Amino acid sequence: MSMTCFHFQRPAATLGRDVARTAVALMTTLGVAAMCWVIAVQQMPGMDMGAATTLGSFESFAQSWTSMMVAMMLPGAVPALLRRTHSAGVTAAALFAVSYLAVWTAVGAAVYWLYRPHGTVAAGVVVLAAGVYELTPIKGYFRLKCRDGTGSGFVFGLNCVGSSVGLMAMLVGLGIMNVPWMAAITVVVLGQKLLPAKVTIDVPLALALIGLGFAILAAPASIPGLLSATRHMPVK
């Protein structure tokens, strides 16, 4: 009788541990992301100059970029982190998250060294290219891999960079320190990580981005934030 009770109790204990692990991973992930949103929003005022934004020192940019990437990219990694938590524990999930975010940090270093303040033509071309990229098989491949969330955090990060590179290029082109654009792109990135690809959603989104690119080229003053302070700041 005691042996029978023992067999019935073990699954309940295991289920309890799984629920506890899931709760810890979920609350920690979303809590860290929320905290970084607060930090990012506090850092941006005075730094956003639209397309003419300058990045300042590498140290200050690295701090801002890191908080931005945690805020923008960590929520979409929740399913992958929960799977890692169930299979290998909270510590393994934390290491997975760190290596995933390290990839985005490396992207920030590349952005810093390649970025230059630019005009509206460059911004429009970048947005057009981002819209076209949304329709390519390469985008579809990386989006699928990013949603699967398999492999190491490093591999997961590379796949998600491949999926979101066009959208992140948009952020850089429109105003790398612009909070409204950051929020809008976060919503799109999150949706694409969590939801399966659907032609009825993805194609209109790509066409909307292409339309935005043409609007920037034709009437840049109509795009909120794009020209802010560009007439008052010298381009280095």
Side-chain angles (χ1 to χ4, degrees):
M1 183 68 177
S2 60
M3 183 65 69
T4 302
C5 293
F6 176 75
H7 282 302
F8 276 101
Q9 290 172 353
R10 287 195 65 183
T14 301
L15 179 61
R17 286 195 299 268
D18 289 342
V19 171
R21 286 178 175 181
T22 299
V24 169
L26 184 60
M27 289 188 296
T28 301
T29 301
L30 296 181
V32 170
M35 180 180 64
C36 286
W37 266 107
V38 173
I39 294 172
V41 170
Q42 290 177 341
Q43 290 175 330
M44 300 309 169
M47 300 175 67
D48 176 29
M49 294 176 285
T53 299
T54 55
L55 301 186
S57 68
F58 179 76
E59 291 75 12
S60 63
F61 172 77
Q63 293 174 2
S64 298
W65 179 267
T66 300
S67 61
M68 286 171 58
M69 291 304 99
V70 175
M72 295 177 70
M73 299 302 171
L74 196 55
V78 166
L81 289 172
L82 292 182
R83 288 194 295 269
R84 187 54 57 97
T85 299
H86 283 300
S87 63
V90 174
T91 301
L95 294 174
F96 182 90
V98 169
S99 57
Y100 164 68
L101 293 171
V103 175
W104 282 108
T105 302
V107 170
V111 168
Y112 183 84
W113 295 114
L114 295 174
Y115 176 86
R116 296 294 182 274
H118 49 278
T120 57
V121 173
V125 170
V126 168
V127 174
L128 276 171
V132 172
Y133 182 74
E134 291 295 305
L135 299 172
T136 64
I138 297 175
K139 161 72 180 196
Y141 170 83
F142 281 118
R143 179 178 176 180
L144 180 61
K145 291 292 185 180
C146 181
R147 287 192 70 245
D148 288 344
T150 56
S152 66
F154 179 77
V155 172
F156 177 59
L158 291 177
N159 287 327
C160 292
V161 168
S163 176
S164 304
V165 63
L167 296 169
M168 293 307 297
M170 271 187 57
L171 178 62
V172 174
L174 293 171
I176 194 169
M177 300 298 177
N178 185 286
V179 173
W181 282 120
M182 176 182 164
I185 291 171
T186 298
V187 171
V188 177
V189 169
L190 182 61
Q192 291 188 345
K193 283 186 176 182
L194 300 181
L195 302 175
K198 290 187 177 181
V199 173
T200 54
I201 297 176
D202 299 334
V203 172
L205 171 64
L207 294 178
L209 297 182
I210 292 171
L212 175 61
F214 280 120
I216 293 171
L217 295 174
S222 66
I223 309 302
L226 184 64
L227 293 176
S228 62
T230 57
R231 296 172 184 169
H232 310 287
M233 295 296 296
V235 176
K236 66 179 181 180

